[in-house]
Amino acid sequence: MKIQVVRATMPYNPKIGTPITALDTPSMVVDLSLMESNIDKLFSHLLTTGIRIRPHLKTTKSVALARKLVAAGATGGCVAKLSEAEVFTDQGFTDLLITTVVVGKVKVGRLVELWKRNREVRIVVDSEAGIRGIEEGMKEAGVQEGKIMTLLDLDVGLHRTGCQPGEEALRLARLVRQSGYLELIGVQGYEGHLQHVHSKSERRERCLEAMSILTKTAEALREDGHAIRVVTTGGTGTAEFCVTVPGVTEVQPGSFLFMDTDYRNAVGTHYSNSLTILATVISKQGPKCVTIDAGLKSLTTDSGLAECKTPGYTYGVLGDEHGSLSWTDAPDLEIGDRVEMIPSHIDPTINLHDSYYAHRDGIVEEIWSVDARGKVQ
Ligand code: PLP
Ligand code: MN
């Protein structure tokens, strides 16, 4: 039997100039003025310190936004995964650090293919098995010349990836030096466990301790004859402290661009919540309770529940596609009303959507695609 593909006669295709009131929902919308102010705040402060900013693009997964950050002064970008690096490279954005170790035959095969067409890509390693695996992959692919720019990933307290400082770091660095396929250019140590520490003084103090592990290791490697020129670290919650440490050369903040309620609750409102999920009230379930069209497939809940941008309403999850808003004192919501929801965790929420609708004063000015959406490999 032949299957006939029926196409919609009126495809939904909002254009620049559309008011956000005319967008279908749920839609991911960005307030451009707030986003630009976040960029300005971070770059105007950090760049004066002489540090390089390599923003983490796992947050936006968007090439257009990566280019905006470079225009603001960024040096390339970080990606979390190899498949994200493939997407960015294919669109001509090539100055990339993959911040997660590349492990396993399949992944290494993809890395070698990527490196053949993007010699600017940087990787991290944290084990002998990982180093050997990449060497094998390069050998099997018959690579004759060139080395992959490599950073040693160091555990500075997060206990996620990273080798231990001291002997282990020295041993692995020597292995990289002996390798015909890898060139050691630096160290990475990400203090992810400190990003959301609420007390600023405690966050600062613990960050400086982590930075001391990182910069001392970089020094020890230099004394052992390695040309360590990159010392990379930091996120939205700690970058301001990392840049004060002599020896740190680069920071990797990502979430500052849009923020989320989790980050706001932890580090305050220096950066604004510039991204919201626009939703519609589709049913009334009581005098002070409505159902909106945004549930688990529009807003993630790993870091708590999203918040309505207008104060006074409490959000609840009603499954994949629905959520509730209830209130006691706020103005009544009615069927057809629209609300903006602030995500609780920005990175996985963005990964649920295809496009950003960026508006100024309610008029869509730019539309960006979430190019690396779903790229988790
Ligand atoms: N660097 C690494 C290695 C990360 O994993 C992350 C986020 O998880 C970041 C930087 C960016 O951190 P943030 O989004 O908190 O700014
Ligand atoms: Mn995150």
Side-chain angles (χ1 to χ4, degrees):
M1 194 181 76
K2 247 184 155 177
I3 296 169
Q4 197 186 347
V5 178
V6 181
R7 293 192 196 285
T9 48
M10 279 185 59
Y12 171 69
N13 191 13
K15 298 276 186 310
I16 286 162
T18 304
I20 59 169
T21 51
L23 292 176
D24 201 357
T25 61
S27 271
M28 185 160 74
V29 299
V30 172
D31 183 323
L32 270 173
S33 309
L34 294 180
M35 185 193 85
E36 287 163 1
S37 148
N38 288 346
I39 295 175
D40 191 52
K41 278 180 193 159
L42 183 112
F43 281 75
S44 63
H45 170 54
L46 298 191
L47 282 179
T48 56
T49 66
I51 206 90
R52 276 190 293 278
I53 303 171
R54 184 178 286 279
H56 215 305
L57 305 173
K58 69 190 272 258
T59 304
T60 70
K61 289 177 169 273
S62 152
V63 179
L65 281 165
R67 293 198 196 288
K68 266 188 200 292
L69 290 165
V70 167
T75 303
C78 298
V79 288
K81 296 294 186 76
L82 179 94
S83 56
E84 293 175 321
E86 290 173 340
V87 169
F88 278 82
T89 296
D90 287 347
Q91 296 202 33
F93 193 96
T94 47
D95 186 356
L96 295 165
L97 167 64
I98 305 172
T99 58
T100 305
V101 287
V102 177
V103 167
K105 220 170 161 46
V106 179
K107 188 96 78 230
V108 168
R110 282 171 79 164
L111 170 66
V112 177
E113 284 310 306
L114 174 69
W115 177 77
K116 283 183 187 166
R117 60 182 204 277
N118 179 6
R119 294 285 176 109
E120 284 181 87
V121 78
R122 297 164 179 218
I123 60 165
V124 300
V125 292
D126 77 347
S127 69
E128 179 169 349
I131 294 168
R132 300 268 184 240
I134 295 165
E135 286 179 327
E136 285 284 296
M138 295 283 271
K139 199 189 277 177
E140 274 173 25
V143 171
Q144 300 287 343
E145 52 80 34
K147 293 182 174 186
I148 306 186
M149 288 190 278
T150 303
L151 286 80
L152 192 63
D153 188 24
L154 198 71
D155 178 15
V156 294
L158 173 60
H159 308 319
R160 183 173 72 181
T161 59
C163 67
Q164 291 307 303
E167 272 311 303
E168 194 187 355
L170 281 171
R171 188 177 71 82
L172 293 177
R174 287 177 191 154
L175 280 183
V176 174
R177 179 163 51 202
Q178 288 156 13
S179 157
Y181 299 106
L182 302 173
E183 180 198 357
L184 189 68
I185 63 160
V187 287
Q188 167 180 270
Y190 176 59
E191 68 297 1
H193 57 305
L194 304 179
Q195 299 304 328
H196 290 79
V197 171
H198 283 221
S199 148
K200 188 168 178 174
S201 58
E202 186 191 338
R203 199 165 68 247
R204 179 176 172 281
E205 202 173 306
R206 292 177 63 190
C207 175
L208 296 182
E209 283 166 20
M211 291 307 103
S212 160
I213 299 171
L214 182 63
T215 52
K216 277 189 184 139
T217 301
E219 245 346 282
L221 295 178
R222 285 189 194 106
E223 276 165 27
D224 201 38
H226 302 280
I228 301 299
R229 56 179 204 268
V230 180
V231 178
T232 185
T233 180
T236 298
T238 58
E240 62 180 308
F241 312 128
C242 301
V243 300
T244 66
V245 177
V248 171
T249 68
E250 186 178 279
V251 286
Q252 314 179 347
S255 301
F256 73 96
L257 203 58
F258 302 128
M259 294 294 280
D260 50 36
T261 61
D262 198 30
Y263 243 129
R264 181 207 59 204
N265 294 343
V267 308
T269 53
H270 178 64
Y271 302 114
S272 306
N273 289 111
S274 59
L275 180 151
T276 52
I277 304 301
L278 188 65
T280 300
V281 174
I282 58 166
S283 179
K284 193 138 191 178
Q285 293 295 311
K288 291 190 178 295
C289 181
V290 294
T291 298
I292 62 172
D293 58 354
L296 290 171
K297 286 187 187 170
S298 304
L299 291 157
T300 57
T301 55
D302 58 281
S303 301
L305 294 174
E307 281 178 20
C308 189
K309 188 169 149 186
T310 313
Y313 302 94
T314 304
Y315 178 65
V317 174
L318 292 174
D320 295 353
E321 321 291 352
H322 305 98
S324 63
L325 282 179
S326 51
W327 62 94
T328 46
D329 276 339
D332 286 346
L333 290 170
E334 303 297 342
I335 290 171
D337 284 349
R338 283 163 169 249
V339 290
E340 284 183 63
M341 303 298 298
I342 307 173
S344 53
H345 188 180
I346 195 69
D347 317 73
T349 295
I350 290 172
N351 194 46
L352 298 171
H353 297 266
D354 287 328
S355 308
Y356 298 88
Y357 296 95
H359 70 95
R360 206 178 298 276
D361 302 323
I363 304 295
V364 174
E365 200 171 287
E366 296 184 43
I367 301 171
W368 313 308
S369 86
V370 186
D371 304 289
R373 179 179 180 195
K375 296 291 182 272
V376 292
Q377 291 181 336

